[in-house]
Amino acid sequence: MTRILVVGAGATGGYFGAKLAQASRDVTFLVRPARAEELHSKGLRISAGGEAGEVERLRPKLVTAADLTGPYDLVLLSVKGGALDAALRDVAPAVGTHTAIIPFLNGIDHLDAIDARFPGAVLGGVVKIEAQLAPDGTITVGASTASMEIGELDGADTPRLRTAAAALGAAGFDFQVSGEILTSMWHKWVFISAATVITCLAQATVGEVAGVPGGREFAAAVLKEPAAVSGAAGHPLPEAAHAGLLATLSQQGSPFAPSMYRDVAQGRPTEVDHVFASLAAQGRRYGLTTELLDAAVVRLRLHDRHVLAARDQH
């Protein structure tokens, strides 16, 4: 049986790892000591909407970095950009000659970082899920369908990709193998970036922004910038996909807000440099102007500075 190591048991890693474990896959979570203690005592809990009686509880296999030995077949990376370097150091004992690493981070810069540490091991990956980690450690999942997409970065159909697909498919979430995984990663980057710029600059949900005069036009102007960068990089958004994203990002009454908006609202640091500054840098590489994206970078950097200053005072 394929041995799977899930790095991180937060909202994303915890949900997909739990679903794989419930589907009788050989799953182990690599977690920090504090999270390990919490999971040992309370279990891994997933709430569909957070309503009483709907909490699933799992007693997962756990390991900390100090106790990690021997290679795994698959390593699923579900950490934030700022934690990537530490995660790669921690996971090193689990990466063998035939290990495949599938990261589920936003953006694309992490691909080079992983390949530099573990040459040839990385596959492309995209997950989509509406979930967050509650203060008590419960993973709260929204009503939208969770999905996972993986593929070789060059689009090839390889034995290791087929092995990974057999291990990850049919596990309680939508799953597919893509011959254009880089394009899928770019298009998710466009969506996450646009949604975050809209909500963080306006300090409101997508539906609230769309509900005021000029809100839809603002959303369209924001979406235009990352879409242009993606197109310049060789991954243009088809017209129908662009229209679909704009409809989602300008839907009146929608409660949707991306995770980074919640980070700002709840006083947590963001992934501004790993996701947005990186995208702006890509735009400059192609001679593009990204004024709204640049404004969001400044806004989120100031937020992060204030968060760190407040922590230092305590």
Side-chain angles (χ1 to χ4, degrees):
M1 180 179 290
T2 301
R3 299 182 70 216
I4 303 170
L5 182 68
V6 179
V7 183
T12 299
Y15 175 83
F16 286 103
K19 289 299 180 184
L20 289 166
Q22 289 172 332
S24 300
R25 312 300 157 82
D26 185 357
V27 177
T28 301
F29 289 89
L30 173 60
V31 293
R32 299 294 184 192
R35 181 64 167 153
E37 182 178 345
E38 180 180 54
L39 293 172
H40 276 307
S41 63
K42 299 180 180 178
L44 179 60
R45 291 154 295 147
I46 299 176
S47 172
E51 296 182 8
E54 293 188 5
V55 177
E56 301 177 31
R57 190 182 304 269
L58 177 73
R59 296 290 179 180
K61 291 197 293 184
L62 305 172
V63 66
T64 61
D67 302 319
L68 188 61
T69 59
Y72 285 73
D73 302 299
L74 283 178
V75 173
L76 307 184
L77 278 176
S78 57
V79 299
K80 290 192 175 183
L84 178 61
D85 289 344
L88 294 181
R89 289 194 300 270
D90 289 347
V91 81
V95 180
T97 305
H98 302 293
T99 301
I101 301 174
I102 309 179
F104 298 123
L105 288 76
N106 292 318
I108 62 168
D109 287 356
H110 60 276
L111 297 178
D112 289 338
I114 298 169
D115 191 62
R117 185 67 182 263
F118 306 109
V122 67
L123 296 172
V126 171
V127 290
K128 297 177 182 178
I129 182 173
E130 183 185 339
Q132 56 184 313
L133 191 66
D136 69 352
T138 301
I139 297 168
T140 302
V141 184
S144 60
T145 302
S147 66
M148 178 185 294
E149 183 178 349
I150 68 170
E152 292 282 359
L153 297 178
D154 62 1
D157 179 13
T158 62
R160 71 169 183 173
L161 178 59
R162 291 192 291 272
T163 297
L168 300 174
F173 50 82
D174 289 347
F175 176 83
Q176 66 175 323
V177 172
S178 172
E180 297 182 342
I181 193 64
L182 270 177
T183 294
S184 295
M185 293 173 69
W186 266 97
H187 290 179
K188 182 185 178 183
W189 198 7
V190 169
F191 173 70
I192 290 297
S193 299
T196 304
V197 171
I198 291 167
T199 56
C200 286
L201 287 185
Q203 299 185 48
T205 65
V206 160
E208 289 171 331
V209 174
V212 299
R216 190 179 190 281
E217 291 77 11
F218 170 61
V222 170
L223 177 58
K224 183 177 179 180
E225 291 187 356
V229 179
S230 185
H235 306 280
L237 274 174
E239 185 175 341
H242 192 284
L245 288 185
L246 182 57
T248 299
L249 296 170
S250 59
Q251 181 181 353
Q252 289 195 32
S254 170
F256 174 70
S259 60
M260 212 169 304
Y261 172 79
R262 294 193 296 270
D263 288 339
V264 171
Q266 297 170 14
R268 295 191 296 261
T270 70
E271 293 182 278
V272 55
D273 287 310
H274 297 90
V275 178
F276 303 107
S278 173
L279 185 60
Q282 290 274 357
R284 289 191 293 274
R285 189 173 305 159
Y286 297 112
L288 298 175
T289 300
T290 55
E291 294 178 349
L292 293 170
L293 180 58
D294 293 343
V297 169
V298 173
R299 162 79 176 93
L300 294 175
R301 280 176 171 166
L302 284 170
H303 164 81
D304 284 4
R305 179 173 292 184
H306 294 156
V307 169
L308 294 175
R311 289 183 177 181
D312 289 342
Q313 290 176 0
H314 292 86

